Amino acid sequence: MTVLEAIQKSAEFLGKRGVESPRLQTELLLAHLLKMPRMKLYLNFDRVLTVPETDALRDLIKRRGLREPLQHITGSTSFCGYEMTVNRHVLVPRPETELLAEAGWQFLATRPPESVTALDLCTGSGCIAIALAAKCPPAKVVATDISAEALTLARQNANGNGVAERIEFLAGDGFAALATAATRAFDLIASNPPYIPSAEIADLDPEVRDFDPWLALDGGDDGLVFYRRLAAGAAEFLKPAGKIMVEFGDGQADALKNIFESEKWIVEAVREDYSHRARILVARR
Ligand SMILES: C[S@@+](CC[C@H](N)C(=O)[O-])C[C@H]1O[C@@H](n2cnc3c(N)ncnc32)[C@H](O)[C@@H]1O
């Protein structure tokens, strides 16, 4: 079977299994398998796959057909240009979260470099903390999560991206993780907490419902439990003129504004994602 035939056959199979963008997904898996950039496949359409390559591709396509996310199969994803290993203990970092990280490092760049600090609450794979530390070299960053397994992977990702010595990883429930923190006052508090209403998790795509950790999704009855805790608890850990930036779910903007304003925050901006849906709230005291 040639590369082109393998792509066509596999894409048809994935399409029938309800996988979105089946041709792209097939090409990404084949490129991963053949260890070549996806575009190079196009120069190799007539190449005949070896039997071991065909068998290996069949296994990868079968897994994707069972709706295992591409990033779990390849074991990694890119976030703001940084390689993040992912596994079943962490949410696969999403493109919209890159906007939160970018807003964060742009703000950090305006703060006094000799003392600049950031907190990433609910760090998961560590993606936000790592991007902040990498883009803002003077920053001291604290990253917390309730999941010890997630923190193990986040540390590994920080090592892989050369920023581990500037990130303090702490386990704990919300702000309680900061009890032993070396840094307890931050210029920026960033968070992408769990925000799916519990009853809606069952209706999510299988890639999310069956493979992202429940802990990373479940935002309580109305999806907003964590934001109430953030709005009530964050001020104690924010420096004067510091900012909080949080990602939230589609349709939650008004509720988020109310939650933060009722805890005396001044909402500075609500930013949109690539699909023009409000997804990031920026607030200060
Ligand atoms: C939506 S994921 C975000 C992960 C990562 N920051 C990202 O943007 O890809 C939420 C994370 O919050 C963590 N989490 C859930 N409940 C928590 C709690 N009570 N305290 C701290 N972390 C919590 C989960 O383990 C998960 O890693």
Side-chain angles (χ1 to χ4, degrees):
M1 188 162 49
T2 65
V3 163
L4 181 59
E5 286 165 347
I7 290 173
Q8 289 168 337
K9 217 172 141 197
S10 305
E12 191 187 335
F13 173 80
L14 291 186
K16 284 187 187 145
R17 293 294 174 118
V19 172
E20 244 180 67
S21 311
R23 168 125 186 180
L24 174 64
Q25 296 279 305
T26 299
E27 290 179 3
L28 289 168
L29 285 172
L30 185 54
H32 167 74
L33 178 70
L34 299 179
K35 298 186 175 55
M36 60 169 67
R38 180 170 73 93
M39 295 321 279
K40 214 171 155 197
L41 293 176
Y42 288 71
L43 304 173
N44 285 277
F45 273 166
D46 295 333
R47 191 192 133 184
V48 176
L49 294 176
T50 63
V51 172
E53 284 170 348
T54 309
D55 289 347
L57 179 65
R58 191 179 303 112
D59 285 348
L60 298 184
I61 294 293
K62 195 170 155 198
R63 285 171 69 183
R64 190 67 191 91
L66 293 169
R67 306 298 293 271
E68 185 171 349
L70 178 83
Q71 298 88 342
H72 281 215
I73 299 172
T74 62
S76 73
T77 191
S78 170
F79 183 84
C80 298
Y82 303 102
E83 183 83 359
M84 300 289 153
T85 299
V86 295
N87 63 23
R88 276 182 167 264
H89 298 297
V90 300
L91 186 94
V92 173
R94 307 292 206 265
E96 54 270 23
T97 307
E98 295 181 326
L99 299 171
L100 170 62
E102 186 181 3
W105 79 63
Q106 284 173 351
F107 172 62
L108 291 180
T110 68
R111 306 295 294 156
E114 61 283 0
S115 61
V116 62
T117 52
L119 168 65
D120 173 17
L121 209 68
C122 301
T123 197
S125 63
C127 58
I128 298 171
I130 290 165
L132 293 176
K135 294 284 188 185
C136 184
K140 278 191 190 149
V141 180
V142 175
T144 76
D145 205 286
I146 201 166
S147 157
E149 292 90 349
L151 284 176
T152 299
L153 189 69
R155 269 192 207 97
Q156 187 184 317
N157 282 328
N159 268 317
N161 286 289
V163 292
E165 73 287 353
R166 282 190 295 111
I167 306 180
E168 185 182 10
F169 290 98
L170 295 168
D173 181 358
F175 291 106
L178 297 175
T180 60
T183 307
R184 288 172 56 86
F186 301 97
D187 293 285
L188 170 70
I189 297 179
S191 186
N192 176 21
Y195 56 67
I196 312 288
S198 310
E200 290 177 19
I201 295 177
D203 300 328
L204 297 173
D205 286 341
E207 283 87 345
V208 180
R209 182 192 64 212
D210 300 338
F211 293 93
D212 278 326
W214 186 274
L215 250 184
L217 302 174
D218 189 4
D221 281 353
D222 62 358
L224 302 170
V225 164
F226 217 90
Y227 300 105
R228 293 193 187 90
R229 294 178 62 185
L230 281 169
E236 185 186 334
F237 300 98
L238 206 63
K239 289 184 193 170
K243 289 188 188 184
I244 185 165
M245 299 187 187
V246 296
E247 181 175 326
F248 56 85
D250 192 17
Q252 293 177 331
D254 289 343
L256 257 271
K257 276 184 80 177
N258 285 337
I259 287 172
F260 277 85
E261 284 171 355
S262 67
E263 290 284 353
K264 302 190 180 62
W265 291 87
I266 297 161
V267 175
E268 269 191 358
V270 174
R271 301 195 178 177
E272 295 180 346
D273 63 14
Y274 300 108
S275 314
H276 304 292
R277 293 171 305 193
R279 296 301 298 276
I280 295 164
L281 176 134
V282 180
R284 63 182 164 83
R285 294 300 274 196

